[in-house]
Amino acid sequence: MPLVRLDRAGETQGMSDHPDIRSARDCGLLACTRCGAVWSMQDEGAKCDRCSHVLQSRDTKSLQRVWAWWVAALMAYIPANLEPMLRTRTLVAETESTIVEGAFELIHHGDIPVALIILIASVGIPVAKFGAIAYLALSVNRQARLSAHRRQHLYELVEYIGRWSMIDVFVVAILSALVQLNVAAQISPGPAALTFALSVIFTMLSAQSFDSRMIWDSDTAPDAPVTKETHRE
Amino acid sequence: MVKDFGMPHPQHSGYIVCPHCDALFVQKQPQFGERAVCTRCRTVLIAPRRNAFIRILALSVTNLILVIAALFLPFLQISRAGFHNETSVMDAVLAFSDGPLFVLSLAVGALIVLVPMMRMVLTLYVLAPMVMGRPPAPGATRAFRLFEALKPWSMAEIFVLGCGVALVKVSALAQVHLGSAFWMMGVLVIVVLLQDNMMCRWSVWTALEKRKA
């Protein structure tokens, strides 16, 4: 697909990675986070004329909310791994299994690919997500080892992949609805289904609270004051 | 509604700002099939498609029909040792409904049925007047904002993959047959992907603004 190069605004300025790109904030402008309309920095705090969303150049409370949801998610994630996720009752036995036990059961049955999906979706991704969000939030205010590009990709990855952890909750829902065969076999959900769902929802909220524009601020000008005077027209 | 806020400064409509990295660009309208991309972080800023609105509308209607049908038609059927059971999406939603886990029933129902359906209804509400050449419906901006905010919470496609996993888990325990609703949900996933691909938020916001005047 052909690609339109957009013309740049503002004059060339010495910057490490992208010498000619300036952020809207440095030019005394701000964009509505919902509809993208561009306003003057002086309009910060007012409601966007186009979509009536409150205008903010940077979400200053962003990190607080990120950490609040992050801690909540972690608190929900611990019982999610200790409590049983599924209760299976067959003619001969009744078993309770946590997420990890369930995956190992599948490996015993020989379903290694499916076990891997479960392990990745409900153990690998959540743990990686906790790490990634914490890293992104911590790296905003200090010198980060990863470049802004890498961190932006990391953020997009976390946002995109986070939802997929919900798959385990859906599997439990489907199994509990489906496997109701009277005495022959019966599956019912355990308490971990709820805590795990909460953990996924909280990490999603945590990731959404992060204002990714801050990644680029620390990349270009660490402590540059906002120059409200320089806005044009 | 516009005058109430009393914006002291006019909108800088000649510019476009990347929502992810806040890079500022002079705006240039791409042709159909072309894309405007942020040169810093590669976020797609504008991606207009020919007849996008009417195509999105058609896909929304398709979507609604599929969801409603899939809700009540049998989804999966299993049998073991003479016992037989079949389940619909509705049953999966209600799986947690008795006992303390009923909140989870609400959440699952919202994520796989309610939110996807709501997004479809919202697109109809926002885009139908545009296609018919009328001014936007009252509250259309709020509707489109909600549509965008709900995007990460629409999880029908994850549910479909979850079914695949559940199938494998159950196959050791009993015999499983796929019902018609399973295939409908499968098609639904593709339709949603097509629709998200077609949707250019910049174009919608611009159209909403132009028609308002």
Side-chain angles (χ1 to χ4, degrees), chain A residues 34 51 58 149 163 178, chain B residues 22 40 85 145 154 201:
Chain A
R34 267 284 178 255
C51 71
R58 293 293 179 274
H149 277 282
R163 318 154 59 232
L178 187 61
Chain B
D22 207 34
R40 181 155 73 172
N85 189 29
R145 257 173 62 187
S154 167
R201 59 195 291 264

Side-chain angles (χ1 to χ4, degrees), chain A residues 188-210:
Chain A
S188 51
L194 179 64
T195 46
F196 188 78
L198 282 178
S199 166
V200 175
I201 290 171
F202 290 160
T203 34
M204 281 175 70
L205 289 169
S206 175
Q208 283 176 19
S209 309
F210 185 73

Side-chain angles (χ1 to χ4, degrees), chain A residues 18 26 30 58 87 113 134 160 171 190 208 213:
Chain A
H18 314 277
D26 291 341
L30 66 87
R58 293 293 179 274
R87 293 201 176 93
Y160 178 77
V171 170
Q208 283 176 19
R213 295 174 294 186

Side-chain angles (χ1 to χ4, degrees), chain B residues 54-129:
Chain B
I54 193 142
R55 286 196 205 168
I56 292 170
L57 274 188
L59 291 172
S60 285
V61 175
T62 318
N63 238 329
L64 271 176
I65 295 171
L66 284 172
V67 173
I68 293 169
L71 204 53
F72 298 105
L73 289 172
F75 194 68
L76 298 168
Q77 297 155 312
I78 63 166
S79 47
R80 169 180 168 151
F83 293 105
H84 193 82
N85 189 29
E86 62 176 35
T87 181
S88 64
V89 178
M90 207 58 190
D91 294 327
V93 168
L94 295 174
F96 304 109
S97 59
D98 36 300
L101 292 179
F102 77 96
V103 243
L104 205 51
S105 254
L106 297 181
V108 170
L111 294 175
I112 63 178
V113 181
L114 215 62
V115 171
M117 267 172 82
M118 234 174 108
R119 288 188 82 223
M120 294 312 118
V121 174
L122 288 173
T123 44
L124 288 178
Y125 187 76
V126 173
L127 294 184

Side-chain angles (χ1 to χ4, degrees), chain B:
Chain B
M1 188 168 127
V2 186
K3 282 121 208 159
D4 294 351
F5 306 122
M7 297 293 272
H9 304 279
Q11 192 179 326
H12 295 255
S13 48
Y15 294 111
I16 187 166
V17 174
C18 173
H20 287 149
C21 72
D22 207 34
L24 180 67
F25 301 98
V26 170
Q27 189 180 300
K28 206 163 82 180
Q29 175 69 43
Q31 298 299 307
F32 286 120
E34 284 181 329
R35 300 190 304 174
V37 180
C38 170
T39 48
R40 181 155 73 172
C41 73
R42 305 271 156 223
T43 303
V44 176
L45 302 174
I46 314 174
R49 298 291 183 89
R50 206 179 294 278
N51 300 327
F53 288 0
I54 193 142
R55 286 196 205 168
I56 292 170
L57 274 188
L59 291 172
S60 285
V61 175
T62 318
N63 238 329
L64 271 176
I65 295 171
L66 284 172
V67 173
I68 293 169
L71 204 53
F72 298 105
L73 289 172
F75 194 68
L76 298 168
Q77 297 155 312
I78 63 166
S79 47
R80 169 180 168 151
F83 293 105
H84 193 82
N85 189 29
E86 62 176 35
T87 181
S88 64
V89 178
M90 207 58 190
D91 294 327
V93 168
L94 295 174
F96 304 109
S97 59
D98 36 300
L101 292 179
F102 77 96
V103 243
L104 205 51
S105 254
L106 297 181
V108 170
L111 294 175
I112 63 178
V113 181
L114 215 62
V115 171
M117 267 172 82
M118 234 174 108
R119 288 188 82 223
M120 294 312 118
V121 174
L122 288 173
T123 44
L124 288 178
Y125 187 76
V126 173
L127 294 184
M130 303 278 140
V131 170
M132 292 189 290
R134 299 219 186 123
T141 51
R142 196 170 302 164
F144 192 62
R145 257 173 62 187
L146 186 62
F147 168 84
E148 294 222 292
L150 285 178
K151 191 176 176 188
W153 304 102
S154 167
M155 298 193 179
E157 73 271 26
I158 301 173
F159 182 74
V160 172
L161 193 68
C163 288
V165 175
L167 275 182
V168 178
K169 273 199 154 180
V170 170
S171 61
L173 210 62
Q175 274 183 309
V176 190
H177 312 280
L178 298 172
S180 47
F182 180 84
W183 303 111
M184 290 181 140
M185 288 295 272
V187 174
L188 187 93
V189 171
I190 297 166
V191 174
V192 171
L193 281 178
L194 280 176
Q195 197 186 27
D196 281 342
N197 194 12
M198 199 72 78
M199 183 70 88
C200 166
R201 59 195 291 264
W202 188 90
S203 306
V204 176
W205 280 118
T206 315
L208 277 174
E209 190 171 43
K210 268 189 201 147
R211 296 289 172 80
K212 198 163 66 175

Side-chain angles (χ1 to χ4, degrees), chain A:
Chain A
M1 202 174 285
L3 183 142
V4 174
R5 289 263 155 191
L6 289 167
D7 293 346
R8 286 166 265 107
E11 300 86 60
T12 311
Q13 237 194 10
M15 268 177 211
S16 55
D17 213 355
H18 314 277
D20 36 15
I21 290 176
R22 301 177 73 195
S23 76
R25 185 187 178 84
D26 291 341
C27 299
L29 297 174
L30 66 87
C32 173
T33 44
R34 267 284 178 255
C35 73
V38 184
W39 303 98
S40 291
M41 193 59 96
Q42 282 96 325
D43 294 324
E44 187 158 24
K47 281 185 179 174
C48 175
D49 233 8
R50 183 152 82 170
C51 71
S52 56
H53 190 69
V54 176
L55 294 172
Q56 267 190 313
S57 174
R58 293 293 179 274
D59 188 351
T60 45
K61 299 248 168 60
S62 162
L63 288 181
Q64 286 180 35
R65 276 187 288 128
V66 169
W67 285 116
W69 288 121
W70 191 89
V71 170
L74 193 65
M75 286 189 334
Y77 188 65
I78 294 166
N81 277 286
L82 299 178
E83 302 275 335
M85 187 88 168
L86 272 183
R87 293 201 176 93
T88 314
R89 203 164 53 77
T90 57
L91 275 175
V92 280
E94 187 176 337
T95 52
E96 286 191 339
S97 57
T98 61
I99 295 171
V100 178
E101 284 169 4
F104 277 102
E105 233 169 76
L106 280 172
I107 292 177
H108 282 297
H109 286 299
D111 291 317
I112 292 170
V114 181
L116 277 183
I117 291 184
I118 294 285
L119 274 180
I120 292 171
S122 42
V123 182
I125 292 178
V127 171
K129 227 167 26 175
F130 281 120
I133 295 173
Y135 174 76
L136 286 171
L138 287 173
S139 67
V140 163
N141 292 322
R142 54 196 86 178
Q143 200 65 34
R145 210 180 298 164
L146 289 180
S147 71
H149 277 282
R150 286 280 181 74
R151 280 182 285 146
Q152 178 74 38
H153 284 154
L154 186 64
Y155 177 67
E156 279 165 19
L157 197 70
V158 166
E159 273 231 294
Y160 178 77
I161 268 181
R163 318 154 59 232
W164 284 91
S165 298
M166 213 60 183
I167 192 171
D168 222 26
V169 177
F170 293 150
V171 170
V172 173
I174 296 161
L175 286 178
S176 316
L178 187 61
V179 187
Q180 296 295 339
L181 297 175
N182 213 342
V183 290
Q186 214 170 17
I187 288 181
S188 51
L194 179 64
T195 46
F196 188 78
L198 282 178
S199 166
V200 175
I201 290 171
F202 290 160
T203 34
M204 281 175 70
L205 289 169
S206 175
Q208 283 176 19
S209 309
F210 185 73
D211 188 345
S212 68
R213 295 174 294 186
M214 293 189 301
I215 294 175
W216 300 88
D217 287 342
S218 48
D219 179 52
T220 50
D223 296 309
V226 187
T227 46
K228 288 195 176 182
E229 291 75 33
T230 56
H231 94 101
R232 63 204 80 231
E233 277 128 9

